[in-house]
C-alpha cells in the first residue's frame, strides 16, 4: 500500500481491492447501515468454489464516486507477464474477461467508487511512486510490483505497514500468508501476494522433456526415473551431456547443433530454489541474513553453473 495523504480511505480501499476477486460473485448483496459487515442474503445456488470460500468481513460504505488507483508496470516489454487482468470495459463472452468485468462492476456499484488501473514501464515505477508520495497527491493507492523493485520501494519509505491496515486477515484464503516471510523487513509487512491478479500463476518454473529424444538415445523412461527418486541435478546433467553434440563440427554453439538442455535467463534461480537453497532468512529482529554462503549451497550452485 502506498503512503496516502488520507490514510483512512486508502487503507480501506486497499483491502477491498485485494479481496475483490473473491467477493465478485456476490453482486446481489446490498449494504445497509454504517460500519457494519456486508451480509450475503442471496439464497441462489452458488458454485462449489464460492461455497468453500468464507465471506470477507467489510464495512458497508458509500464512497461517493471516489477513484481508487492501482499502479503496476510492464515486465521489460514481455507481454505474457504483463498484468492485464485488473479491469475490463465490457462483457465479451470470454470467461476470464467477464469475471474481471463482473468483479469491477460489483465494487463500483456496491461501494460507489471507481477503479483506475495505471500500467507504466518497468523502469519508471519507482520514480512514479516517489513523485506521488513526495507531492502528497494520492495519485496511487496501491501498487502491484515485481520483487526486483520491491526492495527499492521499501528503502525509499513509500509504503504503509499492512499490519496497521484494518480488515486484513493474513489467514484468509485469497492471501498467501507464506509470502510475508519473504517480503517483510524488521518485522513489518509492506506487501503480500494475493489473488488480486493471476499473474503469479504465469511465473511458475516448469521443466519440459523431449520424450522422443529420450527414446532415441535410450535414456530410459523419465516418469520411472522421477518416481524412483533418481531424478537430480546430476542426473539431468548426465542425460543432457549424453545428447548434446556439435552437429556441424565448427566447434561453436549455434542453432545447427543439438542441445541436451536449454533455458531462459532466470531458470538457474528456480533450480537453486528447487534444491532447497534460500538466499536469506529473517532473524529474530526481522533483519535479512544471507544463508547461501555454505559449502553445500555453493557446491549445488556450482553444479547448476556447470
Amino acid at each position: 500500500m502506498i503512503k496516502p495523504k488520507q490514510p483512512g480511505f486508502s487503507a480501506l480501499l486497499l483491502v477491498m481491492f485485494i479481496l475483490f476477486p473473491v467477493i465478485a460473485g456476490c453482486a446481489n448483496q446490498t449494504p445497509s447501515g454504517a460500519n457494519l459487515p456486508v451480509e450475503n442474503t442471496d439464497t441462489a445456488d452458488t458454485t462449489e468454489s464460492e461455497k468453500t470460500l468464507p465471506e470477507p468481513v467489510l464495512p458497508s460504505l458509500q464512497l461517493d464516486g471516489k477513484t481508487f488507483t492501482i499502479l503496476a508496470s510492464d515486465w521489460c516489454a514481455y507481454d505474457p507477464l504483463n498484468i492485464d487482468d485488473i479491469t475490463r470495459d465490457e462483457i465479451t463472452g470470454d470467461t476470464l474477461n467477464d469475471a474481471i468485468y463482473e468483479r469491477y462492476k460489483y465494487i463500483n456499484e456496491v461501494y460507489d467508487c471507481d477503479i483506475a488501473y495505471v500500467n507504466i514501464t518497468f523502469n519508471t515505477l519507482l520514480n512514479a511512486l516517489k513523485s506521488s508520495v513526495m507531492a502528497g497527491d494520492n495519485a496511487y493507492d496501491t501498487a502491484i510490483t515485481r520483487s526486483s523493485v520491491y526492495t527499492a520501494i521499501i528503502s525509499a519509505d513509500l509504503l504503509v505497514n499492512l499490519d496497521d491496515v484494518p480488515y486484513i486477515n493474513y489467514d484468509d484464503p485469497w492471501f498467501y500468508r507464506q509470502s510475508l516471510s519473504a517480503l517483510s523487513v524488521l518485522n513489518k509487512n509492506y506487501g503480500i501476494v494475493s489473488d488480486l491478479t493471476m499473474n503469479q500463476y504465469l511465473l511458475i518454473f516448469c521443466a519440459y522433456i523431449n520424450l522422443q529424444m529420450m527414446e532415441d538415445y535410450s535414456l530410459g523412461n523419465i516418469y520411472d526415473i522421477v518416481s524412483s527418486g533418481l531424478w537430480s541435478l546430476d542426473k539431468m546433467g548426465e542425460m543432457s551431456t549424453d545428447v548434446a553434440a556439435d552437429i556441424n563440427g565448427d566447434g561453436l554453439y549455434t542453432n545447427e547443433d543439438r542441445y541436451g538442455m536449454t533455458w531462459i535467463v532466470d531458470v538457474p534461480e528456480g533450480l537453486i530454489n528447487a534444491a532447497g537453497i534460500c538466499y536469506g532468512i529473517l532473524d529474530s529482529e526481522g533483519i535479512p541474513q544471507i544463508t547461501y554462503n555454505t559449502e553445500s549451497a555453493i557446491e549445488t550452485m556450482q553444479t547448476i553453473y556447470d
Side-chain angles (χ1 to χ4, degrees), residues 36 48 51 70 86 136 145 202 210 227 239 245 250 291 294 300:
L36 295 175
E48 191 61 30
K51 292 178 182 178
I70 302 173
I86 304 300
T145 183
L202 304 179
N210 186 325
S227 297
M239 293 168 61
D250 63 359
T291 56
T294 65
T300 300

Side-chain angles (χ1 to χ4, degrees), residues 126-138:
L126 177 61
N127 286 334
L129 293 180
K130 282 183 178 179
S131 298
S132 177
V133 171
M134 290 179 65
D137 60 10
N138 288 353

Side-chain angles (χ1 to χ4, degrees), residues 25-37:
C26 311
N28 291 331
Q29 297 176 8
T30 303
S32 60
N35 298 320
L36 295 175

Side-chain angles (χ1 to χ4, degrees), residues 233 272 275 277-278 290-306:
L233 289 174
I272 290 171
I277 299 173
C278 294
I290 293 175
T291 56
Y292 63 81
N293 56 343
T294 65
E295 183 177 349
S296 60
I298 292 174
E299 182 180 339
T300 300
M301 288 189 284
Q302 183 65 51
T303 298
I304 293 171
Y305 174 81
D306 292 341

Side-chain angles (χ1 to χ4, degrees), residues 17-177:
F17 281 82
I18 290 176
L19 298 184
F20 77 1
V22 178
I23 58 180
C26 311
N28 291 331
Q29 297 176 8
T30 303
S32 60
N35 298 320
L36 295 175
V38 177
E39 295 183 1
N40 184 3
T41 58
D42 186 2
T43 58
D45 291 339
T46 58
T47 65
E48 191 61 30
S49 61
E50 290 173 330
K51 292 178 182 178
T52 58
L53 286 174
E55 291 291 335
V57 179
L58 295 173
S60 299
L61 187 67
Q62 290 296 298
L63 298 174
D64 302 323
K66 290 182 179 293
T67 298
F68 184 86
T69 303
I70 302 173
L71 178 66
S73 70
D74 64 12
W75 184 238
C76 302
Y78 183 60
D79 286 343
L81 294 187
N82 289 339
I83 298 170
D84 64 354
D85 57 353
I86 304 300
T87 61
R88 287 290 189 274
D89 296 328
E90 60 183 359
I91 293 290
T92 65
D94 176 79
T95 301
L96 179 58
N97 177 92
D98 295 353
I100 296 169
Y101 175 83
E102 289 295 341
R103 77 175 182 184
Y104 164 77
K105 180 182 177 183
Y106 171 77
I107 293 294
N108 179 272
E109 293 179 351
V110 172
Y111 291 98
D112 188 22
C113 67
D114 191 33
I115 305 166
Y117 176 61
V118 178
N119 188 288
I120 60 179
T121 58
F122 173 74
N123 58 358
T124 62
L125 185 138
L126 177 61
N127 286 334
L129 293 180
K130 282 183 178 179
S131 298
S132 177
V133 171
M134 290 179 65
D137 60 10
N138 288 353
Y140 314 109
D141 296 285
T142 191
I144 306 172
T145 183
R146 313 287 177 173
S147 58
S148 54
V149 182
Y150 178 70
T151 303
I153 294 174
I154 292 178
S155 300
D157 193 26
L158 304 179
L159 304 177
V160 169
N161 186 356
L162 293 180
D163 295 344
D164 299 329
V165 179
Y167 311 110
I168 285 186
N169 179 0
Y170 298 134
D171 291 322
D172 283 333
W174 41 85
F175 291 127
Y176 294 81
R177 186 184 182 96

Side-chain angles (χ1 to χ4, degrees), residues 221-273:
N221 185 305
I222 186 64
Y223 300 103
D224 291 341
I225 293 172
V226 172
S227 297
S228 62
L230 296 178
W231 181 247
S232 65
L233 289 174
D234 290 334
K235 186 66 173 177
M236 181 174 65
E238 172 191 319
M239 293 168 61
S240 299
T241 301
D242 289 342
V243 169
D246 182 7
I247 299 299
N248 61 6
D250 63 359
L252 301 174
Y253 293 108
T254 70
N255 289 337
E256 297 177 9
D257 298 322
R258 184 171 62 245
Y259 296 87
M261 180 174 65
T262 60
W263 64 93
I264 59 174
V265 61
D266 50 3
V267 162
E269 293 186 21
L271 294 176
I272 290 171
N273 185 247

